[in-house]
Amino acid sequence: MLTDVLDFIDEQNRRLAPAFVLVDPFGYSQTPFELIKRILSNRRCEVLITFMYQFINRFVADATQWDHLDRLYGTSDWRDVLTADTPGDRKAILHGVYKRQLEQQANAKYVWPFEMEDSGGRTGYFLFFCTNSLAGLSKMKQAIWAVDPTGNFRYAYAANPNQMRLLDTEPDFQALRTELARAFAGETVSVEEIREFVLTQTQFLDTHYKKQVLAPMEREGAITIPSSPRKQRFAYPDRTRVKFV
């Protein structure tokens, strides 16, 4: 068991080697938050967690399950769901508290959720990816976009795996432009700062913001380039400074 491995490593006063750990339980009673926290205390480890939302949502009103859920979340704050008014509020709480715990208590620098739907469009479960590496986050988002080219990060699965359906609309680059313009209005920032914002604060990839967004904005005068080592217009290499009008 993973707990035994972690116990042995602690006894040896060592750290877990860099690892990608898949936590894929049946249900929710076998993956206490303390276990996730122990894995992520090894800063070069990444975790992909199957969060069984449908099971959790089904049993939140059953008081006999509350201790299990407290251990799953590492807190009782999830119980705010008991007074939620709508299904959307319930999902926001059950999803949001777990994400917050991963960020604040397990100290994962980057936490990215991937929503899995059944054939009726209902949320079956979430995949939570946790990493301390911006490069790791970029690679995972690339993998997710390969599954869902819309960038909505909802993978719709059917009971029959041969009938999986994917949304096939194009990414909405205008939405990314709006987010960047809002976030950096009136500021001068580095292209590296833009890249980190795109990766950590939006659904988009770090291959989406230069040609598709910055170049049109520069042509239209929505941004200017105070300094850059670039050798041609509408290129944005590292150390480029971008001013948002």
Side-chain angles (χ1 to χ4, degrees):
M1 293 179 61
L2 182 56
T3 300
D4 296 331
V5 173
L6 293 173
D7 288 343
F8 176 78
I9 291 171
D10 288 345
E11 290 168 3
Q12 302 299 311
N13 196 30
R14 295 184 177 182
R15 307 288 288 178
L16 188 63
F20 179 86
V21 180
L22 175 62
V23 180
D24 188 24
F26 180 80
Y28 53 81
S29 63
Q30 303 301 314
T31 51
F33 188 77
E34 187 61 30
L35 174 62
I36 306 301
K37 190 174 179 180
R38 289 183 69 186
I39 297 170
L40 288 172
S41 68
N42 298 274
R43 302 302 292 170
R44 297 180 68 186
C45 288
E46 298 177 327
V47 183
L48 184 63
I49 306 163
T50 304
F51 182 77
M52 302 302 293
Y53 172 77
Q54 195 171 84
F55 279 105
I56 295 166
N57 189 45
R58 186 183 306 166
F59 292 109
V60 287
D62 182 351
T64 66
Q65 299 298 307
W66 290 354
D67 286 345
H68 290 307
L69 291 170
D70 286 348
R71 287 193 291 273
L72 173 74
Y73 278 91
T75 180
S76 61
D77 289 354
W78 65 269
R79 299 189 188 197
D80 289 345
V81 77
L82 299 174
T83 56
D85 294 326
T86 69
D89 290 340
R90 288 166 65 92
K91 183 160 69 172
I93 292 169
L94 293 175
H95 165 278
V97 172
Y98 196 72
K99 182 174 185 291
R100 187 198 69 202
Q101 285 290 96
L102 291 169
E103 293 169 338
Q104 297 182 5
Q105 299 303 316
N107 295 315
K109 188 172 182 179
Y110 306 115
V111 178
W112 207 263
F114 186 27
E115 186 171 354
M116 308 290 282
E117 296 179 348
D118 63 21
S119 57
R122 297 175 295 269
T123 302
Y125 57 95
F126 289 93
L127 297 176
F128 281 96
F129 176 64
C130 305
T131 183
N132 294 301
S133 165
L134 198 62
L137 177 60
S138 176
K139 292 295 185 183
M140 178 56 71
K141 288 181 73 174
Q142 288 174 33
I144 292 172
W145 271 83
V147 173
D148 179 5
T150 68
N152 292 319
F153 298 157
R154 295 170 178 264
Y155 182 82
Y157 69 96
N160 180 345
N162 294 319
Q163 296 176 348
M164 292 179 180
R165 61 182 177 83
L166 296 176
L167 303 177
D168 58 3
T169 58
E170 288 296 317
D172 184 358
F173 295 118
Q174 181 60 44
L176 177 57
R177 174 172 175 163
T178 299
E179 290 190 58
L180 291 177
R182 182 185 300 118
F184 299 117
E187 297 184 27
T188 300
V189 295
S190 68
V191 75
E192 291 87 348
E193 290 175 279
I194 297 172
R195 175 178 182 262
E196 183 166 354
F197 177 84
V198 170
L199 276 176
T200 64
Q201 303 299 319
T202 81
Q203 303 282 42
F204 294 86
L205 300 177
D206 52 355
T207 57
H208 283 158
Y209 70 94
K210 292 183 178 180
K211 178 180 178 181
Q212 300 91 333
V213 177
L214 293 186
M217 292 182 76
E218 185 178 2
R219 289 189 181 96
E220 297 166 19
I223 62 171
T224 59
I225 308 299
S227 63
S228 176
R230 69 185 185 182
K231 297 180 180 179
Q232 60 185 21
R233 293 188 68 192
F234 312 121
Y236 309 94
D238 289 352
R239 303 191 311 281
T240 295
R241 303 285 293 175
V242 180
K243 179 176 176 57
F244 286 79
V245 176

